[in-house]
Amino acid sequence: MTDPRAVSRPTQAVVLAGGQGSRLRPYTDDRPKPMVEIPGTGTPIIGHQLTWLAEEGVTDVVVSCGHLAEVLQKWLESTDLPVSVTTVVEPEPLGRGGGLKYAAARLPHPDRPWFATNGDIWTRFSLRDMADFHAERDAVATVALARPRLPWGAVRTDGFGLISDFIEAPPSTFEINAGVYVFSPEFAGLLPERGDHERTTFPHLARERRLAGFTIPQGSYWRAIDTAKDLTEAAKELASHGR
C-alpha cells in the first residue's frame, strides 16, 4: 500500500552552485566549489548531492551556476546522472534570495513542493522524513538544522574555576542552518527579485510561524565543505566510516 504522505514529498530540487569558493583556493582556481572532489571518492561534491537526491525520490534538479559555470555545465553534460538536470546562469548577481527565485522559475512543477541545497554540503539523512515534518507543520519553508563539531578543543571547569576536563572538538551548543531546505509551492513568490532571503523572507515567515526547523537526526553525516581543512576532514571521515 502506498504511503499517502508520499504525495506531498518533493520530486524536484534546486542546487545553488554559483559561489566563488574563495576559501577553497587553489582548488577553486579552475573549477566552481561544487566541482571540487571529495578525496578518495573520485566524485565532486555535486555528484554526491545528485546521488543523494535521487535516492530520496528526486527526479528533476535545477542547478544554479555562477563562478566558472562552463566547467560545471560540461561535467553535468558528460556524466551519466541519476536525475534529470537543468542548468541556469544568473544574468547578473542576484544575491542568494534572488538566485533561488531565478532557479525556482525553471522547476518543472511550480505547483508542487521542492527541495533546495547549497552546493557545498555533503550530507546523508532522510529527506523523506524532512518532507513529512514540513507537511505535518503546514510550513511554507523548513530549514535543516545541524549541530556541528567545533574546530577547537574545549574545557570544562568546576564551581571554583578549576579545569575538570578537556573535550576535543565538542558539538556546538547551538543548531545552525545546515543549507538544506523544503519549500512549499508558494515560497518562490515570497522570494526577493534580488537580495538575501535569510534577511527578508525567512524572518517574515518566522513571525507568522510558518518557518520550521528540522534537526538532522543524531548520527547522520553532515559537513559543509568551505576550506581545504574540511576536505581533509571529510577524507578522514570517509576512511573511518566507509561513507
Side-chain angles (χ1 to χ4, degrees), residues 43-196:
T43 303
I45 298 168
I46 194 167
H48 292 282
Q49 290 183 321
L50 295 177
T51 297
W52 174 51
L53 290 169
E55 290 170 351
E56 294 295 324
V58 172
T59 57
D60 295 274
V61 176
V62 177
V63 178
S64 178
C65 308
H67 174 63
L68 296 174
E70 65 280 0
V71 177
L72 178 52
Q73 290 173 318
K74 183 177 180 181
W75 183 84
L76 291 169
E77 291 167 2
S78 62
T79 303
D80 184 17
L81 301 172
V83 292
S84 175
V85 173
T86 301
T87 60
V88 297
V89 181
E90 296 174 21
E92 58 182 324
L94 299 174
R96 291 191 298 175
L100 195 58
K101 187 182 188 78
Y102 186 77
R106 295 295 300 274
L107 288 168
H109 307 291
D111 58 336
R112 300 181 191 173
W114 45 293
F115 294 117
T117 181
N118 296 341
D120 59 355
I121 302 299
W122 189 30
T123 186
R124 284 292 185 278
F125 65 91
S126 174
L127 286 175
R128 292 179 174 90
D129 287 350
M130 185 176 174
D132 293 344
F133 179 95
H134 171 83
E136 288 162 3
R137 282 150 186 80
D138 193 28
V140 173
T142 296
V143 181
L145 304 175
R147 198 181 293 273
R149 291 197 168 275
L150 299 177
W152 316 282
V155 296
R156 181 178 287 119
T157 59
D158 63 19
F160 293 100
L162 299 174
I163 293 175
S164 59
D165 196 9
F166 287 89
I167 308 165
E168 184 64 29
S172 168
T173 56
F174 294 98
E175 293 178 314
I176 66 166
N177 181 343
V180 180
Y181 312 90
V182 185
F183 297 132
S184 293
E186 64 264 38
F187 180 76
L190 302 175
L191 285 165
E193 294 293 336
R194 61 178 64 240
D196 190 346

Side-chain angles (χ1 to χ4, degrees), residues 200-220:
T200 55
T201 310
F202 277 179
H204 171 74
L205 290 174
R207 287 192 295 270
E208 294 189 342
R209 300 183 64 79
R210 303 293 302 280
L211 180 66
F214 175 82
T215 300
I216 295 175
Q218 187 174 5
S220 298

Side-chain angles (χ1 to χ4, degrees), residues 1-9 132 135:
M1 184 175 177
T2 302
D3 186 341
R5 295 177 301 179
V7 176
S8 64
R9 291 172 184 160
D132 293 344

